[in-house]
Amino acid sequence: MLGRIVFFLCLPSVLAAQLCKPNAAEGFKVRLSIKTALGDNAYEWNRNQRFLFQAAIAFAMSHHLDLEFNVSNILVCDETPRVSFWFVVTSPDDPSRLVGKESVELAVRASRSRINNILLLNDATLEFIGVLPTLAAPVKPATPSWLIVFGVVIGIIGAGIVFLLVSTVVQKKRKENEVAEEEDDDEEAQMKRMAGNEGICNTSFSECDRNTQM
C-alpha cells in the first residue's frame, strides 16, 4: 500500500522529466537577461520567479485557447544559473499529452507584452528562442496618414507663396533704389554742369566787353 502511494506521488515528476527535456519537439528554450534589464535592481531567479513565469504562460494559454490552464500544466526543466531553461505545456484534459508547439507560440506572441510586464523585462531581455518578438497589433497613429501628407503639401505651397511674395517685394525695393540712384546721379551731373557754366563769360553782355578791354 505504501509503495503505491509513493508511486502516485512520484508519477507527476516522472512524467515531467519525460515530457520536458532540452530540444523537446514541443518545447521552447527561454533566456533571461535580468541584470541587463534591471541593473542594480535585478532580482534573483528562484522558484518564486519560476512560479510567476509559469503563471504568466498559463494565463497566455488560457486566453488563447479558451481553456483552463494552471501552473501544473507548465513544465520547466534544464535550468541554468545564467538564466535559461526549457518549458513545455501539457493539456488540461490529459497531463501526459503536450500541447502543440504552434499553439504555444501563438499564445506567447499574443500575450507577449503581459508576460514581459509580469517579469519586468522586454523582448530583448526575455527571449523565447525561435519565437518572433510579438503578435501585438501595430500601433495606429492618432493622426491619419492622409492628413499628414495633406498638411505637408499645404505647408510646401504656403512656403512657396511666401517666398514669391518676399522675392517680389525685394525686387520692387531694389528697382526703387536703382531709380533713386539714377535720379541722384542725373541731379549731381546737372549740378556739375551748372557749376562749370558759372565761369564762362557770355559775350552778349557789354559787361564782358568792358572786362575784356580792361
Side-chain angles (χ1 to χ4, degrees):
M1 182 67 179
L2 181 61
R4 290 183 177 180
I5 294 174
V6 172
F7 172 78
F8 284 112
L9 289 175
C10 295
L11 184 59
S13 60
V14 173
L15 288 174
Q18 292 179 346
L19 296 174
C20 184
K21 52 188 176 182
N23 299 311
E26 308 297 344
F28 291 91
K29 185 177 182 179
V30 179
R31 185 184 297 121
L32 290 81
S33 302
I34 303 173
K35 184 69 175 179
T36 301
L38 303 177
D40 295 337
N41 297 321
Y43 53 80
E44 180 184 358
W45 182 259
N46 52 34
R47 62 180 183 180
N48 295 328
Q49 300 300 330
R50 181 173 66 248
F51 179 88
L52 195 60
F53 171 82
Q54 291 173 298
I57 299 299
F59 164 80
M61 296 299 302
S62 299
H63 180 71
H64 178 64
L65 297 178
D66 197 22
L67 296 173
E68 188 175 348
F69 287 82
N70 54 51
V71 174
S72 63
N73 295 120
I74 315 300
L75 306 181
V76 175
C77 61
D78 197 42
E79 292 185 75
T80 63
R82 287 194 62 91
V83 174
S84 68
F85 53 85
W86 286 77
F87 81 94
V88 294
V89 180
T90 62
S91 171
D93 300 326
D94 184 1
S96 64
R97 183 169 58 87
L98 294 178
V99 177
K101 191 170 185 176
E102 182 179 355
S103 295
V104 177
E105 179 178 354
L106 292 175
V108 170
R109 292 176 62 194
S111 299
R112 187 63 185 270
S113 60
R114 298 288 294 273
I115 298 172
N116 290 347
N117 292 338
I118 289 173
L119 296 174
L120 305 179
L121 301 175
N122 55 40
D123 287 353
T125 53
L126 175 57
E127 301 176 77
F128 290 82
I129 309 301
V131 178
L132 295 176
T134 183
L135 194 63
V139 178
K140 294 183 179 179
T143 304
S145 57
W146 67 267
L147 187 57
I148 296 175
V149 174
F150 178 75
V152 171
V153 173
I154 292 299
I156 294 173
I157 294 174
I161 293 174
V162 172
F163 175 77
L164 290 175
L165 291 175
V166 171
S167 61
T168 301
V169 172
V170 170
Q171 290 178 1
K172 184 177 180 181
K173 188 69 174 178
R174 186 179 299 169
K175 288 181 179 180
E176 291 177 353
N177 291 336
E178 290 176 354
V179 171
E181 290 177 358
E182 291 177 358
E183 291 178 353
D184 291 341
D185 293 341
D186 293 342
E187 184 177 353
E188 184 178 355
Q190 185 177 2
M191 291 179 64
K192 286 181 179 179
R193 288 195 299 270
M194 292 176 62
N197 292 335
E198 290 179 357
I200 300 174
C201 183
N202 191 341
T203 57
S204 61
F205 294 98
S206 60
E207 184 68 26
C208 283
D209 293 338
R210 287 195 298 268
N211 291 337
T212 302
Q213 292 174 359
M214 289 176 63

